[in-house]
C-alpha cells in the first residue's frame, strides 16, 4: 500500500520525487523518505506527511540526478523514523538503499541468516532484509541489477522494489511481484536523458505520459540512455509502452476543499463515462465484456463475486439484481476469507472480481485460488485498465470513474454498481428473462441516472445540517431492507472510515433480534427508505426504534409518505428509481460521512490507519 518513486535524469530529481510522493500519498502517509545519489547516498526521512519531508529536503539543500523515494503505510514496525524508508546497507566500500511496497513473508529467516553474516539491523521492518541482501550480492561482485535479480529469488511474498547503489550513481533498479510498479519513459517516450519508476501513473504525469507496466517477476534497470527489462529468469524482454490518457487536471482538487467532496460530485459524470457505450446503444451486447463474453455467458450457470470492503458491498447489491432480474444463483465472498476456506468449485461458475485499483492483494490471490480450482471463466470489474486483475481475467469491464484519490471510496462504488447492473441486464437477456420492451425501459433508466444523481446531490445543505448533530455522537446505527441493506452497510463503513464514529448496519428486519438493545436517545438511527415493496415493513421497523426513544434520520423517496415529526428527521430525495435505487440512495450517505468528518475536524482524505490501495495481505 506504500508508494514508490524513482528517477534518473540529467537534472535535479528531488522535486520530481517529492511531487511524485504527493500524488501517491493516498497509498500511505505514516512516514516518507528519500535517498539520492551524488558522491555518496544521502538519505532524508520524516515521520508524517510528505510536506514534512519536503521541508527537510529544502532545508538540507538536497540535490541529485538519481534517487528513490517512498511514502509508507506501516506493516512491520511502528511509525517512527527508524522504520521509515528508504532503508540502507553499507560496508566493504559498498552502499545500497532500497524502498519497498509489500510484505516479505520469510523475512525472519532471511534476517537470521544476514545477522550470522555480520549485518546489523536498525529497524523492525521486513524491508531492511532486502537492502542487506542486495548489498551482500553487490559486495560479492554483482552489479546492482544482478544483485536485485538474485535477491528477488530469495524473497517470499509480495514486493515492488526500487534500489540505488553508490557504485552506480546513474542507475535505478526496480522489480515487482504481487505489487504494482511501472516504468515512466522519459523525453517524450524516447527514454533518452531520463527515466522513472512509480507505483502509479499519477506520480509521473509531471514528467511523462509514456509508461510501461512491469509484469510478475520483472526486473528493470533505468539509466540516462534508456532502460532494460528482464524477466524472472533474467532473460531480456520487452513490455509495451502506452500513452496514459490520465490528465493532470483529473488529479487536482480544483475548486473543491477535499478529494472526497470532489469525487462525490464527480459521480454523475463518472456514471455517464462508465455507461457511454450503453447510452448510445439501441440494445445490449455481450461484447461490452470482451470478445469471449458470449461463449462464457452461454455456459454460465451461477456467479461468484469476490471483493473487499466497498467493492464487496457493490457485489452484495449485485447479488440481489442477478438473482431477481437474471434468475442466476449468486454468491458473494470476502476475498480474504474465500482463499482460506474449503469451498466447492461448481462447473459453469463465472468468477467476478471487483476492485477500484485492480491491485488489491486479497482479491488477486482469491482470483488465482479460484482459477487453481478449475474456475477459468473470470470477469474483472475495475477502474484501472492495466491493473493486475484486468490482466489476469478473461473478461473485463472498465468503470471509467477516473482517478479516485480520497481513501474512502465514493465514485468507484457507484460506477461499480452501474457496471454490475449492465452485466445483470446482459445475463438476463441471454437467459430469456428480459424482453425487448423491458430492456428499453431499463436502458432509459440508465440514461437518466446521471441527471437523477444530480438531483440527489442537491440535498447537500440538508445533510450538512444533520452532520452537525452527528458530530457529537460516538455511535450510529444504519438500517436498510432488501437490496438496500448493502447500501446501509456502505453508509456505515463511510462514517467509520472518515469520522471515527462507531457505526453498524443491519437489515431492518433484524432489529428485534438483538440490535434494539443498543437503541436509546444517544443512538442516531440512519434509515434508507425507498418506496419499494418492503416500505410498509420498514415503517414498522421505524416504529420499533421510536418506541425505544431512538432518533431517526431517514433518506426517503419523495413519494414514500414518511413525515417528519419529533425524533423523526426526513430528507426526501427523488421519485423511486426502481432497480437502480441503490445507486442513488448511497449518495446522501456519502455526504453525511463527509460533512460529519468536517464537523469533527478529522482528515477526510487521509483517515488514520488506512490507505487507498490495499496491496498487502
Amino acid at each position: 500500500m506504500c508508494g514508490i518513486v524513482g528517477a534518473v535524469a540529467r537534472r535535479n530529481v528531488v522535486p520530481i520525487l517529492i511531487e511524485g510522493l504527493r500524488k501517491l500519498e493516498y497509498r500511505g502517509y505514516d512516514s516518507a523518505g528519500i535517498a539520492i545519489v551524488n558522491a555518496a547516498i544521502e538519505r532524508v526521512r520524516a515521520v508524517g506527511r510528505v510536506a514534512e519531508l519536503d521541508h527537510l529536503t529544502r532545508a538540507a539543500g538536497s540535490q541529485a540526478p538519481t534517487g528513490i523515494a517512498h511514502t509508507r503505510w506501516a506493516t512491520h514496525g511502528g511509525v517512527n523514523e527508524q522504520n521509515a524508508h528508504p532503508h540502507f546497507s553499507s560496508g566493504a566500500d559498498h552502499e545500497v538503499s532500497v524502498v519497498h511496497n509489500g510484505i516479505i513473508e520469510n523475512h525472519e529467516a532471511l534476517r537470521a541468516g544476514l545477522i550470522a553474516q555480520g549485518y546489523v539491523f536498525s529497524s523492525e521492518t521486513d524491508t531492511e532484509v532486502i537492502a542487506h541482501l542486495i548489498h551482500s550480492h553487490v559486495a560479492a561482485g554483482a552489479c546492482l541489477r544482478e544483485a536485485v535479480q538474485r535477491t528477488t529469488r530469495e524473497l517470499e511474498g509480495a514486493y515492488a522494489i526500487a534500489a540505488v547503489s553508490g557504485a552506480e550513481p546513474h542507475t535505478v533498479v526496480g522489480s515487482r511481484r504481487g505489487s504494482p510498479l511501472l516504468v515512466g519513459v522519459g523525453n517524450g517516450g524516447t527514454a533518452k536523458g531520463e527515466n522513472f519508476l512509480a507505483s502509479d501513473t499519477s506520480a509521473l504525469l509531471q514528467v511523462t505520459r509514456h509508461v510501461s507496466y512491469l509484469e510478475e517477476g520483472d526486473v528493470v534497470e533505468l539509466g540516462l540512455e534508456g532502460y532494460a527489462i528482464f524477466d524472472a529468469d533474467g532473460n531480456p524482454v520487452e513490455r509495451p509502452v502506452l500513452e496514459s490518457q490520465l490528465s493532470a487536471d483529473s488529479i487536482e482538487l480544483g475548486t473543491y476543499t477535499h478529494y472526497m467532496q470532489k469525487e462525490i460530485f464527480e459521480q454523475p459524470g463518472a456514471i455517464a463515462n462508465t455507461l457511454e457505450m450503453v447510452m448510445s446503444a439501441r440494445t445490449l451486447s455481450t461484447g461490452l465484456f470482451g470478445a469471449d463474453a458470449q461463449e462464457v455467458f452461454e455456459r454460465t450457470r451461477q456467479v461468484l463475486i469476490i471483493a473487499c470492503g466497498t467493492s464487496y458491498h457493490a457485489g452484495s447489491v449485485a447479488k440481489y439484481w442477478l438473482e431477481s432480474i437474471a434468475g442466476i444463483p449468486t454468491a458473494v465472498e470476502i476475498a480474504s476469507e474465500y482463499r482460506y476456506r474449503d469451498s466447492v468449485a461448481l462447473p459453469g461458475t463465472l468468477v467476478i472480481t471487483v476492485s477500484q485499483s485492480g491491485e488489491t492483494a486479497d482479491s488477486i490471490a482469491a482470483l488465482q485460488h479460484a482459477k487453481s480450482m478449475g474456475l477459468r471463466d473470470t470477469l474483472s470489474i475495475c477502474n484501472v485498465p492495466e491493473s493486475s486483475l484486468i490482466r489476469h481475467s478473461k473478461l473485463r469491464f472498465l468503470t471509467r470513474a477516473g482517478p479516485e484519490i480520497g481513501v474512502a471510496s465514493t465514485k468507484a462504488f457507484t460506477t461499480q454498481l452501474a457496471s454490475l447492473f449492465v452485466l445483470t441486464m446482459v445475463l438476463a437477456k441471454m437467459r430469456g428473462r428480459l424482453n425487448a420492451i423491458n430492456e428499453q425501459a431499463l436502458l432509459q433508466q440508465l440514461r437518466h441516472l446521471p441527471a437523477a444523481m444530480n438531483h440527489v446531490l442537491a440535498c447537500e445543505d440538508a445533510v450538512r445540517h444533520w452532520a452537525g448533530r452527528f458530530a457529537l455522537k460516538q455511535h450510529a446505527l444504519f438500517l436498510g431492507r432488501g437490496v438496500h441493506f448493502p447500501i446501509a452497510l456502505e453508509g456505515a463503513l463511510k462514517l467509520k472510515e472518515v469520522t471515527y464514529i462507531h457505526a453498524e448496519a443491519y437489515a431492518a428486519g433484524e432489529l428485534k433480534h438483538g440490535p434494539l438493545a443498543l437503541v436509546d436517545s444517544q443512538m442516531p438511527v440512519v434509515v434508507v427508505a425507498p418506496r419499494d415493496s418492503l416500505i410498509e415493513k420498514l415503517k414498522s421497523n421505524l416504529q420499533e426504534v421510536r418506541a425505544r426513544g431512538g432518533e431517526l434520520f431517514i433518506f426517503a423517496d419523495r413519494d414514500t409518505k414518511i413525515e417528519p415529526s419529533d425524533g423523526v428527521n426526513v430528507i426526501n430525495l427523488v421519485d423511486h428509481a426502481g432497480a437502480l435505487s441503490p445507486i442513488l440512495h448511497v449518495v446522501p450517505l456519502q455526504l453525511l460521512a463527509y460533512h460529519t468528518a468536517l464537523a469533527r475536524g478529522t482528515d477526510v482524505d487521509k483517515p488514520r490507519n488506512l490507505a487507498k490501495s490495499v496491496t498487502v495481505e
Side-chain angles (χ1 to χ4, degrees):
M1 303 204 287
C2 308
I4 290 173
V5 190
V8 181
R10 291 193 172 95
R11 53 175 163 157
N12 178 25
V13 299
V14 173
I16 297 170
L17 297 174
I18 295 294
E19 183 58 25
L21 289 186
R22 290 189 199 278
K23 297 298 187 289
L24 294 177
E25 206 167 16
Y26 71 90
R27 299 178 66 89
Y29 33 86
D30 292 330
S31 60
I34 187 172
I36 54 176
V37 188
N38 287 302
I41 296 179
E42 304 169 32
R43 181 173 56 162
V44 182
R45 298 183 292 178
V47 175
R49 303 296 169 82
V50 172
E52 179 61 21
L53 178 65
D54 186 22
H55 171 75
L56 292 176
T57 56
R58 289 176 186 272
S62 301
Q63 295 188 54
T66 304
I68 54 177
H70 186 272
T71 180
R72 181 176 186 237
W73 187 82
T75 53
H76 293 75
V79 179
N80 55 48
E81 185 175 331
Q82 287 174 306
N83 291 328
H85 298 218
H87 289 286
F88 190 76
S89 183
S90 65
D93 299 324
H94 302 287
E95 52 186 9
V96 168
S97 191
V98 171
V99 293
H100 164 231
N101 172 33
I103 291 179
I104 304 305
E105 295 174 357
N106 61 333
H107 71 98
E108 291 181 351
L110 293 172
R111 180 185 291 254
L114 288 162
I115 290 173
Q117 294 179 47
Y119 283 95
V120 176
F121 285 78
S122 60
S123 79
E124 305 167 88
T125 69
D126 55 337
T127 300
E128 196 173 0
V129 303
I130 302 174
H132 290 320
L133 280 172
I134 294 173
H135 179 273
S136 69
H137 293 304
V138 170
C143 69
L144 182 60
R145 194 266 299 173
E146 292 169 337
V148 170
Q149 193 107 44
R150 293 175 189 175
T151 294
T152 58
R153 292 170 184 155
E154 300 178 64
L155 303 178
E156 297 175 8
Y159 59 78
I161 299 166
V164 291
S165 167
E168 300 178 50
H170 301 293
T171 300
V172 173
V173 174
S175 182
R176 72 163 294 257
R177 183 172 71 208
S179 292
L181 194 66
L182 58 90
V183 177
V185 185
N187 197 18
T190 66
K192 299 293 184 181
E194 56 186 37
N195 291 288
F196 311 92
L197 280 178
S199 301
D200 189 314
T201 309
S202 63
L204 301 181
L205 288 179
Q206 54 174 318
V207 287
T208 183
R209 301 180 67 85
H210 296 86
V211 296
S212 181
Y213 292 86
L214 299 181
E215 297 189 7
E216 291 286 276
D218 280 357
V219 174
V220 62
E221 181 178 30
L222 305 184
L224 291 173
E225 297 305 316
Y227 65 93
I229 300 175
F230 303 83
D231 65 18
D233 296 322
N235 302 311
V237 292
E238 292 187 7
R239 305 299 184 208
V241 176
L242 308 173
E243 185 171 358
S244 174
Q245 300 305 305
L246 191 63
S247 70
D249 289 344
S250 66
I251 56 175
E252 300 297 336
L253 270 174
T255 60
Y256 293 94
T257 307
H258 299 93
Y259 281 106
M260 184 177 181
Q261 181 190 33
K262 176 177 183 274
E263 288 153 10
I264 289 172
F265 278 86
E266 285 179 337
Q267 288 178 112
I271 291 283
N273 289 338
T274 299
L275 299 176
E276 181 180 6
M277 296 298 291
V278 176
M279 298 288 194
S280 58
R282 293 185 178 181
T283 185
L284 289 175
S285 164
T286 57
L288 292 167
F289 296 89
D292 297 326
Q294 179 74 26
E295 177 187 349
V296 170
F297 292 166
E298 283 177 349
R299 61 175 175 259
T300 295
R301 296 295 174 266
Q302 57 272 326
V303 169
L304 170 62
I305 301 175
I306 302 172
C308 302
T310 286
S311 298
Y312 172 78
H313 295 157
S316 298
V317 172
K319 174 181 170 69
Y320 284 89
W321 286 337
L322 286 163
E323 293 193 339
S324 65
I325 299 173
I328 186 166
T330 302
V332 188
E333 295 267 5
I334 297 171
S336 58
E337 292 294 316
Y338 171 72
R339 60 184 291 209
Y340 290 118
R341 72 175 184 82
D342 295 327
S343 55
V344 178
L346 297 174
T349 298
L350 173 63
V351 179
I352 302 174
T353 47
V354 187
S355 169
Q356 188 281 137
S357 68
E359 300 294 347
T360 306
D362 286 320
S363 297
I364 294 170
L367 173 61
Q368 299 297 357
H369 176 65
K371 290 166 73 172
S372 73
M373 294 192 299
L375 302 179
R376 298 295 178 178
D377 289 341
T378 56
L379 164 65
S380 176
I381 292 176
C382 180
N383 195 37
V384 182
E386 306 87 0
S387 64
S388 296
L389 275 180
I390 288 287
R391 293 199 305 270
H392 294 157
S393 297
K394 183 177 293 186
L395 308 179
R396 63 193 63 187
F397 192 96
L398 295 176
T399 55
R400 305 188 191 280
E404 190 179 63
I405 307 300
V407 166
S409 183
T410 52
K411 62 178 180 176
F413 178 68
T414 50
T415 53
Q416 287 169 357
L417 289 178
S419 304
L420 287 162
F421 191 80
V422 172
L423 174 66
T424 299
M425 291 178 64
V426 168
L427 289 173
K429 185 177 177 180
M430 289 189 65
R431 296 167 68 85
R433 293 176 60 97
L434 186 66
N435 61 36
I437 294 174
N438 289 336
E439 179 186 9
Q440 290 306 309
L442 290 177
L443 282 173
Q444 185 55 37
Q445 289 182 43
L446 282 173
R447 295 181 186 117
H448 180 65
L449 191 56
M453 191 169 282
N454 273 318
H455 283 296
V456 173
L457 286 165
C459 76
E460 183 181 25
D461 285 343
V463 172
R464 186 185 291 111
H465 175 69
W466 283 8
R469 299 162 67 185
F470 268 77
L472 304 175
K473 306 296 184 180
Q474 297 304 316
H475 307 277
L477 192 62
F478 285 69
L479 301 178
R481 294 206 70 147
V483 71
H484 293 86
F485 169 48
I487 298 304
L489 288 168
E490 177 62 12
L493 177 60
K494 287 286 110 29
L495 196 71
K496 282 183 279 195
E497 285 178 315
V498 299
T499 72
Y500 317 144
I501 294 172
H502 169 245
E504 289 189 70
Y506 278 89
E510 284 291 289
L511 265 178
K512 62 181 73 69
H513 298 290
L516 265 178
L518 297 171
V519 172
D520 60 18
S521 61
Q522 296 305 307
M523 173 72 81
V525 179
V526 182
V527 183
V528 181
R531 189 188 58 78
D532 59 13
S533 61
L534 293 172
I535 186 59
E536 294 305 321
K537 294 187 179 297
L538 179 64
K539 288 178 180 179
S540 297
N541 302 140
L542 304 188
Q543 291 301 319
E544 295 169 1
V545 172
R546 286 301 298 133
R548 275 77 179 178
E551 186 172 11
L552 293 165
F553 294 82
I554 304 169
F555 292 105
D557 288 342
R558 275 199 295 240
D559 46 359
T560 306
K561 297 180 181 178
I562 299 176
E563 298 298 329
S565 60
D566 182 39
V568 180
N569 308 278
V570 182
I571 293 177
N572 291 305
L573 302 175
V574 292
D575 293 336
H576 184 50
L580 296 177
S581 174
I583 302 176
L584 298 178
H585 270 274
V586 76
V587 174
L589 303 182
Q590 297 168 347
L591 288 170
L592 179 63
Y594 171 71
H595 284 290
T596 304
L598 289 189
R600 287 172 68 92
T602 62
D603 192 334
V604 177
D605 288 333
K606 300 181 180 69
R608 67 188 182 199
N609 304 333
L610 300 178
K612 182 70 177 175
S613 182
V614 187
T615 58
V616 297
E617 185 178 352

